[in-house]
Amino acid sequence: MHALISVSDKTGIVEFARELHSLGVTLLSTGGTAKLIAGAGIPVTEVADHTGFPEMLDGRVKTLHPTIHGGLLARRDLPEHMAAIAAHGIPTIDLLVVNLYPFEATVASPGCTLAEAIENIDIGGPAMVRSAAKNWRDVAVLTDASQYAGVVGELRSLGAVLEETKFALAVAAFNRIADYDAAISDYLSSLRGPSDGVPDREEFPAQANGRFVKLQDLRYGENPHQRAAFYRDMKPAPGSLVTAKQLQGKELSYNNIADADAAWECVKSFGADDAASACVIVKHANPCGVALGASSAEAYAKAFKTDPTSAFGGIIAFNTPVDQACAEAVAKQFVEVLIAPAFSAEALAVFAAKPNARLLQIDLPAVAGAGRNSHDTRRVGSGLLIQTADNHEISAADLKVVSMRRPTPAQMQDLLFAWKVAKYVKSNAIVFCAGGMTLGVGAGQMSRLDSARIASIKAEAAGLSLEGSAVASDAFFPFRDGLDVVIDVGATSVIQPGGSMRDDEVVAAANERDIAMVFTGVRHFRH
């Protein structure tokens, strides 16, 4: 058996080569890899000696040779193939170990020049990988160090690599080549033109190549007649939903995942180092209750008060660990999914009595704002919309007070809290808050006036007073009527983007009604 080893990432390669040699495998290798293997005292033949043709053009040409590709592509079950390579003295290559030049890592460097990027486009490696993967029944192709142990195990116990394993390796190899080519295409398509230095790049490349890995098939999509699956990015961000560990419960559904993502992204916005615990309850992709508390149990109790009816069968997320007290409170209600950075042993024992409840554990990023998508995408017909993600954050220093009355420190805290929640409510969004909790949420209405009315109706239904509350509107008030509605039910401070043709009219109404109003200068439409 012959193995050809040519790797850029040399993690574990000496140990793997030693194992192959101990199994009687003849080793071929290239350049630096060959030197490394030989330096470890393991017999290895340089590819140049194997082909009888020297490496040339600074190593650009070394494996692009009939002796290499003939040994990889010859089908052992076709006598004419075997006769052809025998006539030319070409031995078969039965195992190929290749990982590619680090193109992705190279272009990720801020100072990467076009010349450096081009030099890190691998030619010989992908060609060999494709040859070996095409001939998968006869050649095992390894493209990642994580595959070494399994192959050695089969060779040691069975004397060969299983056909099922070789096919899986071939699929992984073609996927790796597809990812590699897509990364090259993304990079080159983003350039404004050739450059001798660091080239200028467009935010959105001329060709977008999405790459995702399937995590699981789902029972169905939004509705039972629709089919669905759950995929993740090639390199998922830490602290994102796709990194969740499910501790118990039924399989997640399509709607569970969509709602869980909305809840987790909202609760993440409160950070891991905030003084208070945050709880977010989501129903149909909208927060129906959000609150801060001294503990996860207190935060949940306050969030639940906002809309107990909608909270039934909701998705609940925390930014702090769930303890026994919190678990006992949540377990009194029907919950579809519960998400937290950790669960105490006592909390897990509480939920063991509710085996259908899905518990997801996700490590919360240590830095607030980390783990967010850089871009959002949406399918439209036969097209795709891509935008930079809405990761804009504001502080009190960013706000412009436009009313005669200035917000008090307590009102300012409520306004900032309301604004943070409104960002995750479907537009048109109106959110009443006070004391670190939502009091009424109006979401997804065609009219901002209707959103304001619905939010106040929900607060009344929950028995919550809106007197002295703060209100956030995700976009400007186009007329004073929406503002009058929220003031009529008790709001005394408002946060909104501003930017309407009738801003003067709305500000005048705020002054007439003697409330505080601040502008953010940024809107948060969420469609």
Side-chain angles (χ1 to χ4, degrees):
M1 176 182 283
H2 287 80
L4 171 54
I5 304 175
S6 179
V7 293
S8 176
D9 177 4
K10 296 175 173 56
T11 302
I13 200 61
V14 170
E15 295 78 6
F16 184 51
R18 185 173 286 114
E19 291 277 9
L20 293 178
H21 173 64
S22 72
L23 291 167
V25 178
T26 300
L27 303 181
L28 310 172
S29 191
T30 60
T33 307
K35 289 186 176 114
L36 183 65
I37 294 171
I42 304 167
V44 62
T45 300
E46 284 262 13
V47 162
D49 295 330
H50 179 71
T51 63
F53 199 88
E55 290 188 14
M56 60 186 300
L57 306 180
D58 298 321
R60 287 188 174 197
V61 177
K62 51 191 172 188
T63 58
L64 296 170
H65 194 281
T67 300
I68 300 299
H69 288 273
L72 292 170
L73 283 166
R75 285 180 53 179
R76 287 32 162 191
D77 62 333
L78 295 180
E80 58 270 32
H81 278 205
M82 301 310 291
I85 64 172
H88 294 281
I90 299 175
T92 58
I93 297 173
D94 310 289
L95 192 148
L96 177 71
V97 187
V98 168
N99 55 56
L100 311 177
Y101 293 172
F103 179 84
E104 296 99 326
T106 299
V107 298
S109 171
C112 175
T113 65
L114 179 57
E116 289 169 333
I118 295 298
E119 279 306 306
N120 277 278
I121 296 177
D122 204 332
I123 303 300
M128 288 191 292
V129 168
R130 291 176 68 89
S131 291
K134 178 175 181 176
N135 200 23
W136 64 270
R137 290 186 186 277
D138 298 315
V139 184
V141 53
L142 289 75
T143 52
D144 190 89
S146 64
Q147 300 164 335
Y148 299 167
V151 167
V152 165
E154 289 186 12
L155 288 173
R156 192 168 292 285
S157 61
L158 304 173
V161 181
L162 290 170
E163 185 171 277
E164 292 84 356
T165 300
K166 288 191 285 189
F167 181 71
L169 290 170
V171 172
F174 279 121
N175 287 342
R176 175 64 187 121
I177 297 302
D179 295 335
Y180 195 73
D181 286 342
I184 295 169
S185 171
D186 283 344
Y187 172 77
L188 294 176
S189 295
S190 74
L191 303 186
R192 291 192 172 96
S195 169
D196 292 333
V198 179
D200 291 332
R201 298 181 64 176
E202 299 280 359
E203 177 78 39
F204 304 102
Q207 178 166 315
N209 301 278
R211 288 102 73 196
F212 301 91
V213 176
K214 186 165 74 173
L215 291 177
Q216 66 185 95
D217 288 308
L218 303 175
R219 285 180 297 163
Y220 53 81
E222 284 185 291
N223 301 290
H225 63 275
Q226 295 172 267
R227 299 168 65 188
F230 184 27
Y231 289 78
R232 66 160 175 81
D233 286 326
M234 291 299 302
K235 294 182 179 179
S240 56
L241 182 69
V242 297
T243 67
K245 178 181 179 183
Q246 185 166 351
L247 304 181
Q248 75 160 54
K250 297 186 295 184
E251 285 187 3
L252 291 165
S253 71
Y254 182 99
N255 293 330
N256 288 157
I257 293 168
D259 286 349
D261 185 61
W264 183 243
E265 289 301 310
C266 183
V267 87
K268 275 200 309 184
S269 70
F270 291 96
D273 55 354
D274 280 6
S277 295
C279 174
V280 175
I281 306 175
V282 162
K283 193 68 172 287
H284 298 306
N286 276 300
C288 60
V290 182
L292 301 175
S295 66
S296 54
E298 182 183 338
Y300 170 71
K302 291 169 68 176
F304 183 77
K305 285 180 182 177
T306 304
D307 192 348
T309 301
S310 297
F312 180 83
I315 312 292
I316 306 175
F318 294 91
N319 70 339
T320 52
V322 170
D323 58 16
Q324 181 177 357
C326 181
E328 289 174 345
V330 173
K332 293 176 183 177
Q333 313 298 328
F334 169 49
V335 57
E336 287 276 6
V337 182
L338 184 61
I339 315 168
F343 295 83
S344 71
E346 294 80 7
L348 292 175
V350 170
F351 284 106
K354 290 181 170 285
N356 288 337
R358 303 162 177 90
L359 268 57
L360 302 183
Q361 182 173 313
I362 309 177
D363 292 332
L364 197 68
V367 178
R372 293 175 175 172
N373 292 332
S374 60
H375 291 80
D376 289 333
T377 60
R378 176 179 295 183
R379 286 303 305 262
V380 287
S382 295
L384 187 71
L385 288 171
I386 304 177
Q387 65 174 352
T388 56
D390 184 5
N391 293 329
H392 190 276
E393 300 287 347
I394 66 166
S395 67
D398 300 316
L399 301 179
K400 178 182 179 182
V401 179
V402 294
S403 58
M404 294 175 63
R405 178 175 291 277
R406 299 187 65 83
T408 66
Q411 285 177 322
M412 186 62 79
Q413 282 190 326
D414 285 339
L415 289 170
L416 290 171
F417 177 83
W419 184 251
K420 189 170 287 191
V421 175
K423 177 179 174 180
Y424 296 93
V425 177
K426 298 287 187 181
S427 188
N428 287 312
I430 293 291
V431 180
F432 287 87
C433 297
M437 67 175 283
T438 49
L439 301 173
V441 179
Q445 298 304 303
M446 291 71 76
S447 162
R448 190 160 303 279
L449 187 62
D450 287 339
S451 288
R453 289 168 175 157
I454 289 171
S456 64
I457 290 169
K458 282 186 166 291
E460 183 180 6
L464 298 174
S465 171
L466 297 178
E467 287 299 323
S469 60
V471 171
S473 174
D474 66 332
F476 57 66
F477 285 97
F479 303 95
R480 68 168 290 169
D481 52 2
L483 183 65
D484 282 327
V485 167
V486 301
I487 297 173
D488 286 344
V489 294
T492 56
S493 59
V494 172
I495 184 170
Q496 60 132 320
S500 168
M501 292 177 60
R502 293 182 172 83
D503 273 351
D504 289 345
E505 173 187 321
V506 175
V507 171
N511 289 329
E512 175 189 320
R513 305 294 299 271
D514 194 28
I515 69 158
M517 179 179 286
V518 298
F519 282 1
T520 64
V522 176
R523 77 178 189 197
H524 283 309
F525 271 167
R526 187 176 179 88
H527 285 86

